Amino acid sequence: MVMALLSSTSAEAHITVAGHNNPAVDILAVQRAVDQGGTIHLKGTFDFGKEGRVNITKDVQIIGDTNPGGPVTKITGGFWTFHSPLPAQLPPTAPGPRIRIQGIHFDGALWTPVLLAYSSGATISNNKITNLKPRAMGEQPIFGRPGLNMQQGIVCHPGYAQVPWETRKYIPNAFTGNLIIEDNDIDLTNDVPTKTMAQGVILIWTTGIKARIHRNTVSNCARNSIEAIDNYADKDGSGTIIIDDNKIVTSVEGLPVPGPITPNGIIVGWVFDMSGGCDPQRNIKHVVANNDIRTRGKTSAGIVSVTDGAVIVDNSIFSEGTEALPLLIASSDGYIARNKAEGKSSSPGVLVRTMKPLRGSRNVIMDNDLRQFQTPAADVVFAEDTRNNVFTGSKSKVSDLGSNHSIQMTR
């Protein structure tokens, strides 16, 4: 059943769609409503089948019913269940749609239930994602490796919508505006974690966004629970990504691609073009604050910075793996303060290193609590070729393999 109502104060459509738990009815009914734009109220249970999808091309708010226990409205199945496709003309000549997706339980989607490639602002909040099915990519390589799977909770990335993948690239202004991803509960349990590229929340190739990833719960992710990489400043140099107050518990095993450190908590910075991390014309501000992270993999990292100027403060990291690393800083000019690390590992609590062209220099590392992190290595390691970092804090074992570091111990 579809019922359209007009607001008494505007011409914006307010549409209620009731689920029939039938793909033959539900997909078409939701698509017709979304094509009108405005506010879409979804009630009941919808079945999108194995690969059902709704494309978003207009400003829209898709709202489900909730109660104190979480979303009541449910969508089962789907493949890129809600997707905002790229326009025919690239780079875009007009801003993308403004999108809100709120209060929906996505159960059993393939790959991801939310993939936004084109938007001028989005809010994705109070959703629940369960039984997310990894999609086998066959011969389509991921970081040069075929035979892997994709599994992601919430995706803001124009790249996956580009075909073929071999020629995909950053598209200026495809994804812009304010982005809020908050209060979502995302479970990425799967049976093949060592073959699955997984992210709970991932942002790539946006332009000048002001993003906040806030109060989400991400569990059992096989790669990076929250990942924000290769996001560009706009022409005025603006853009900010704040990742705060999230609760993360990684899977025990993870995909060792593109590197052996896995599965991880939060990664921010630049991966596809690492030169962006030290280029003030492209790089934006990243803040990682007050997150609660439990890594369970043997080689897991809690927080990884590959972007100059990162602010990483007040996070709590519990590392269970025997080679786990709470804080990996491969960038410069960062402020890393008041973080707490616990666990027992052969790795240091904080590792500052180069990852060319990133230099691992001029960081301020202060007042981090490493007392409950047991390691035969140094608590803090400044690797070779790092320079001019500042360490201050309670008495710790510091290994200084670089040069011109200022190391001050306090009681």
Side-chain angles (χ1 to χ4, degrees):
M1 180 178 70
V2 180
M3 180 172 60
L5 303 175
L6 289 182
S7 165
S8 60
T9 59
S10 74
E12 179 186 273
H14 287 241
I15 303 171
T16 296
V17 184
H20 286 70
N21 201 20
N22 181 349
V25 177
D26 292 335
I27 300 168
L28 182 59
V30 177
Q31 183 68 70
R32 284 176 173 170
V34 167
D35 285 345
Q36 295 183 57
T39 298
I40 315 301
H41 180 193
L42 301 184
K43 296 182 67 68
T45 298
F46 299 76
D47 188 343
F48 273 39
K50 291 183 179 180
E51 296 192 3
R53 178 181 304 171
V54 165
N55 287 320
I56 301 169
T57 58
K58 294 183 178 179
D59 293 358
V60 70
Q61 300 186 68
I62 304 171
I63 312 294
D65 289 332
T66 61
N67 63 26
V72 176
T73 298
K74 186 175 184 179
I75 298 177
T76 61
F79 167 41
W80 297 5
T81 312
F82 286 122
H83 173 48
S84 59
L86 291 168
Q89 183 173 343
L90 296 173
T93 57
R98 295 186 179 183
I99 300 166
R100 177 184 292 270
I101 300 171
Q102 176 181 312
I104 298 172
H105 179 185
F106 296 97
D107 186 60
L110 179 63
W111 184 340
T112 177
V114 178
L115 194 158
L116 305 184
Y118 183 43
S119 175
S120 60
T123 297
I124 307 166
S125 64
N126 296 97
N127 301 290
K128 184 174 183 178
I129 298 174
T130 56
N131 298 312
L132 189 57
K133 298 175 182 178
R135 183 176 191 266
M137 302 305 291
E139 294 304 309
Q140 175 64 62
I142 300 173
F143 287 101
R145 201 135 141 219
L148 300 180
N149 309 308
M150 297 291 290
Q151 181 199 38
Q152 297 164 323
I154 296 170
V155 181
C156 300
H157 178 29
Y160 295 143
Q162 298 179 46
V163 179
W165 272 23
E166 291 80 2
T167 59
R168 63 180 175 159
K169 61 183 179 179
Y170 165 66
I171 302 171
N173 300 314
F175 200 114
T176 62
N178 296 325
L179 173 64
I180 298 174
I181 300 174
E182 66 180 8
D183 296 313
N184 300 285
D185 187 348
I186 304 169
D187 184 353
L188 282 83
T189 300
N190 77 76
D191 295 331
V192 284
T194 60
K195 293 184 178 180
T196 301
M197 177 59 72
Q199 287 86 13
V201 177
I202 184 165
L203 278 60
I204 307 179
W205 285 347
T206 63
T207 304
I209 59 168
K210 295 177 176 60
R212 190 174 190 192
I213 303 171
H214 178 59
R215 291 196 310 257
N216 302 284
T217 298
V218 182
S219 54
N220 302 308
C221 182
R223 184 58 191 178
N224 300 320
S225 295
I226 298 177
E227 181 173 329
I229 59 172
D230 293 69
N231 294 288
Y232 286 66
D234 65 15
K235 62 182 181 180
D236 298 323
S238 65
T240 305
I241 296 174
I242 299 173
I243 302 172
D244 68 314
D245 294 299
N246 300 283
K247 296 185 182 299
I248 292 170
V249 179
T250 74
S251 63
V252 175
E253 295 183 292
L255 176 72
V257 174
I261 298 175
T262 189
N264 308 310
I266 298 172
I267 177 170
V268 292
W270 293 73
V271 172
F272 293 108
D273 181 359
M274 295 190 71
S275 67
C278 51
D279 180 359
Q281 299 300 313
R282 289 180 284 165
N283 196 20
I284 65 176
K285 191 72 172 180
H286 296 78
V287 178
V288 182
N290 202 43
N291 298 283
D292 188 344
I293 302 169
R294 177 184 169 199
T295 63
R296 300 194 292 164
K298 178 181 178 181
T299 60
S300 292
I303 299 173
V304 179
S305 171
V306 277
T307 177
D308 286 357
V311 174
I312 301 173
V313 296
D314 299 313
N315 300 283
S316 177
I317 304 166
F318 189 94
S319 302
E320 295 185 5
T322 56
E323 299 173 24
L325 174 61
L327 287 164
L328 172 57
I329 311 300
S331 45
S332 299
D333 301 307
Y335 180 66
I336 298 92
R338 303 185 304 277
N339 301 287
K340 182 178 182 180
E342 299 181 75
K344 186 176 181 180
S345 172
S346 60
S347 299
V350 181
L351 173 61
V352 182
R353 56 160 294 185
T354 61
M355 196 175 288
K356 293 182 178 179
L358 303 177
R359 303 300 302 171
S361 299
R362 302 182 305 277
N363 295 288
V364 175
I365 300 170
M366 64 183 300
D367 297 332
N368 296 285
D369 184 354
L370 306 176
R371 293 172 296 177
Q372 303 302 314
F373 186 76
Q374 302 176 46
T375 176
D379 299 308
V380 179
V381 173
F382 294 108
E384 294 180 3
D385 297 328
T386 60
R387 299 172 58 86
N388 301 317
N389 291 288
V390 174
F391 171 87
T392 180
S394 58
K395 191 172 183 179
S396 303
K397 183 179 179 182
V398 178
S399 175
D400 184 358
L401 305 177
S403 59
N404 297 325
H405 301 305
S406 173
I407 300 172
Q408 302 176 15
M409 298 294 179
T410 60
R411 294 193 177 188

